Amino acid sequence: MTETVEAPAAVKPINHWISGGPYAGQSGRSGAVFNPATGEQSGAVDFATAEEVDRAVQAAKQALPAWRALSLAKRAELFFAIRELFHAKREELAKHLTREHGKVLSDALGEVTRGLEVIEFCCGIPHLLKGGMSEQASTGVDVYSIRQPLGVVAGITPFNFPAMVPMWMWAPALACGNTFVLKPSEKDPSASFYTAELLKEAGVPDGVFNVINGDKVAVDAILAHPDIAAVSFVGSTPIARYIYETGTKAGKRVQALGGAKNHMIVLPDADIEMAADAAVSAGYGSAGERCMAIATIVAVGDVADPLVEAIKTRLPKITVGPGSDPASEMGPLVTKQHRDKVASYLDSGPVQGATVVTDGRDHPLYDESDGFFLGVSLIDNVTPEMDNYREAALRKERFYRRAIGQVANPSAENRQYAREKQDLRHAAGHEVQPPHEFCGRQVRQRLGQGRHETLGDLRDALTEKAPQKPFGRRQDAPH
């Protein structure tokens, strides 16, 4: 059970948002929120009781009839206003992300922009909610389908995208006529509170959008609440499994997306310079704290040594620093615990036989700053049984590595990939880096799992999610 944090006097309280306004928690429990760049506590976020979760659900339930009855034309008009306001305030929203998550401002703005794309998509809700009709489907029988809101729905979101992932959930939910309860990550909750303020300013009625902060107590209350019809979750695989099993047992519709880290497969005929550029961008962008980050490179045949050297030469050019500094290209990790976990792989790797090519602890900010910094790191000769591979790629814990682990495949023949499949069975997805599409197609078919990208050009590992497309993946997590 989390107790009340002993917060400095300057620390701001971060409340819930219920029925159109702030609601101070009464549980006597709260969590510390830090600025990762300074290591200073910046906030104390209220942790909700089951009764406070019920208060938010009841507010959403009371707002549902009028919101559901609002015409699609009026709802679309409101979403255009929401889009304009969020676009005008995008820089302020991005600053919230940088202050509590640590990502550099350019990444934060990119996150807000991708979230805005979902809001823009929802502006077309009159067209999207059209039903269908089949005349004479059977003798004398006409069949039609209509789209209706479920009711009160909830979202439980992760720390790594505290603005975009909630937008994936609340924007379509509200556009379709549902009311919403959001439980954001307790590590960086201010973006969700600011979102609630903006939605009220845009004209969203009280109770339609609510924010409940907290830990497992709040999550369990959401999963058990009889008035919540559906739950959407993004987070680690063990928690996704728990959310799915608990929520469906309570009769809810559940969408649970588990953790992910990608493997980048570099074939012998790949362009080394292009592959190295892609690996650096995909591995270290946003400090690796994103679902589609490339944490592991599988180098096939003789390509391994020149690839590692090409990556190594690029690493000193990455500027590590506070996210608020325009010169910074990579910020700190979100918490000290995450930073220390990542750094521990640099100790355990050599003990288990890996080679540390670049040690991020050599960066001055690691020792000289109170922030949660770790310089870029590169580990070579990693094998699937090592901790630095298994903990990030197998167990899918939310400890993101700034290390790109290079797993050397002894076979240079593409047809040997079928034999190597078991070594990659826990990969969330694979980026294939051959210049020849046919080779990539062979690898993609023989691996037979995950999200596959056959790349003939440079691509960021965080694929640009089209707002009209799902973002799921095949893996050992429920959907």
Side-chain angles (χ1 to χ4, degrees):
M1 188 70 70
T2 308
E3 302 298 332
T4 302
V5 296
E6 294 296 330
V11 164
K12 66 173 182 178
I14 303 171
N15 302 140
H16 313 299
W17 182 277
I18 300 176
S19 195
Y23 180 86
Q26 306 298 314
S27 70
R29 299 186 305 118
S30 57
V33 177
F34 293 92
N35 182 334
T38 65
E40 296 176 347
Q41 185 180 343
S42 59
V45 59
D46 294 334
F47 280 3
T49 63
E51 291 74 22
E52 288 167 334
V53 171
D54 179 64
R55 177 183 286 267
V57 174
Q58 294 309 316
K61 186 177 179 181
Q62 291 172 16
L64 178 63
W67 180 247
R68 174 176 176 164
L70 194 68
S71 71
L72 293 181
K74 290 290 186 182
R75 230 181 282 160
E77 180 182 347
L78 180 53
F79 260 85
F80 276 106
I82 292 171
R83 188 269 172 198
E84 289 305 305
L85 183 58
F86 272 77
H87 185 266
K89 300 290 187 179
R90 64 190 184 281
E91 292 186 1
E92 183 58 35
L93 181 54
K95 289 177 182 177
H96 279 289
L97 309 184
T98 295
R99 280 193 293 264
E100 292 185 354
H101 176 274
K103 63 179 63 179
V104 298
L105 271 173
S106 58
D107 277 343
L109 280 168
E111 173 182 344
V112 175
T113 299
R114 286 190 290 272
L116 271 168
E117 291 174 353
V118 181
I119 295 176
E120 292 167 353
F121 178 69
C122 291
C123 291
I125 200 65
H127 174 75
L128 299 172
L129 286 185
K130 290 193 300 186
M133 195 259 189
S134 297
E135 187 177 10
Q136 199 70 0
S138 186
T139 304
V141 177
D142 299 336
V143 177
Y144 69 93
S145 63
I146 58 176
R147 299 178 183 271
Q148 296 181 323
L150 295 174
V152 179
V153 297
I156 303 171
T157 56
F159 76 88
N160 59 338
F161 287 95
M164 182 183 72
V165 172
M167 287 179 184
W168 287 357
M169 298 180 187
W170 65 254
L174 266 57
C176 291
N178 304 282
T179 53
F180 199 82
V181 176
L182 172 63
K183 208 301 284 184
S185 169
E186 67 277 13
K187 295 180 178 66
D188 42 19
S190 291
S192 294
F193 190 89
Y194 186 58
T195 292
E197 292 180 318
L198 292 180
L199 289 175
K200 182 176 178 66
E201 183 179 345
V204 173
D206 294 349
V208 171
F209 179 83
N210 306 274
V211 179
I212 280 291
N213 297 301
D215 53 6
K216 189 174 183 293
V217 173
V219 170
D220 286 344
I222 288 171
L223 296 176
H225 203 292
D227 290 326
I228 294 179
V231 175
S232 185
F233 170 82
V234 174
S236 68
T237 295
I239 305 303
R241 191 180 309 283
Y242 175 80
I243 296 287
Y244 185 82
E245 293 174 353
T246 308
T248 53
K249 189 178 295 184
K252 304 184 189 310
R253 297 190 186 189
V254 179
Q255 172 184 267
L257 299 180
K261 282 293 173 167
N262 280 352
H263 289 55
M264 178 178 178
I265 302 169
V266 183
L267 301 183
D269 58 347
D271 183 314
I272 296 296
E273 299 302 313
M274 183 177 71
D277 285 339
V280 169
S281 173
Y284 302 112
S286 196
E289 292 178 324
R290 56 190 184 187
C291 298
M292 296 294 289
I294 296 290
T296 304
I297 295 176
V298 182
V300 182
D302 296 334
V303 76
D305 289 342
L307 178 62
V308 169
E309 186 61 29
I311 293 172
K312 179 183 176 182
T313 61
R314 286 161 168 75
L315 300 189
K317 302 174 184 178
I318 299 176
T319 302
V320 179
S324 57
D325 185 347
S328 297
E329 298 173 292
M330 188 172 78
L333 274 78
V334 68
T335 66
K336 184 179 185 298
Q337 291 78 12
H338 281 211
R339 192 276 307 271
D340 292 346
K341 183 66 176 182
V342 175
S344 73
Y345 295 133
L346 297 166
D347 286 325
S348 64
V351 171
Q352 297 174 356
T355 304
V356 175
V357 178
T358 303
D359 191 329
R361 296 171 297 184
D362 294 335
H363 194 282
L365 287 175
Y366 179 75
D367 289 321
E368 299 173 8
S369 170
D370 292 328
F372 312 139
F373 290 98
L374 180 67
V376 292
S377 302
L378 179 65
I379 303 177
D380 194 7
N381 299 312
V382 175
T383 55
E385 68 275 4
M386 294 181 182
D387 289 345
N388 55 6
Y389 178 86
R390 293 176 64 84
E391 293 195 8
L394 199 161
R395 284 162 48 196
K396 301 294 182 191
E397 292 178 349
R398 279 267 186 219
F399 299 123
Y400 291 93
R401 290 186 291 141
R402 296 199 185 179
I404 296 181
Q406 180 270 319
V407 185
N409 185 327
S411 170
E413 297 296 331
N414 295 336
R415 60 179 175 271
Q416 294 298 321
Y417 261 85
R419 189 195 318 170
E420 302 300 327
K421 178 177 176 180
Q422 286 302 307
D423 286 344
L424 300 176
R425 64 192 180 279
H426 298 290
H430 317 292
E431 177 184 354
V432 184
Q433 272 283 352
H436 196 283
E437 163 62 20
F438 178 73
C439 294
R441 184 171 180 271
Q442 283 187 311
V443 174
R444 186 169 66 245
Q445 289 178 340
R446 291 176 182 179
L447 280 172
Q449 67 177 50
R451 178 188 295 277
H452 308 286
E453 302 287 347
T454 301
L455 305 184
D457 57 355
L458 254 167
R459 283 277 295 278
D460 196 305
L462 179 61
T463 12
E464 290 292 336
K465 174 187 175 292
Q468 71 272 22
K469 299 295 184 182
F471 197 60
R473 51 199 169 267
R474 287 175 291 169
Q475 194 195 337
D476 62 344
H479 294 307

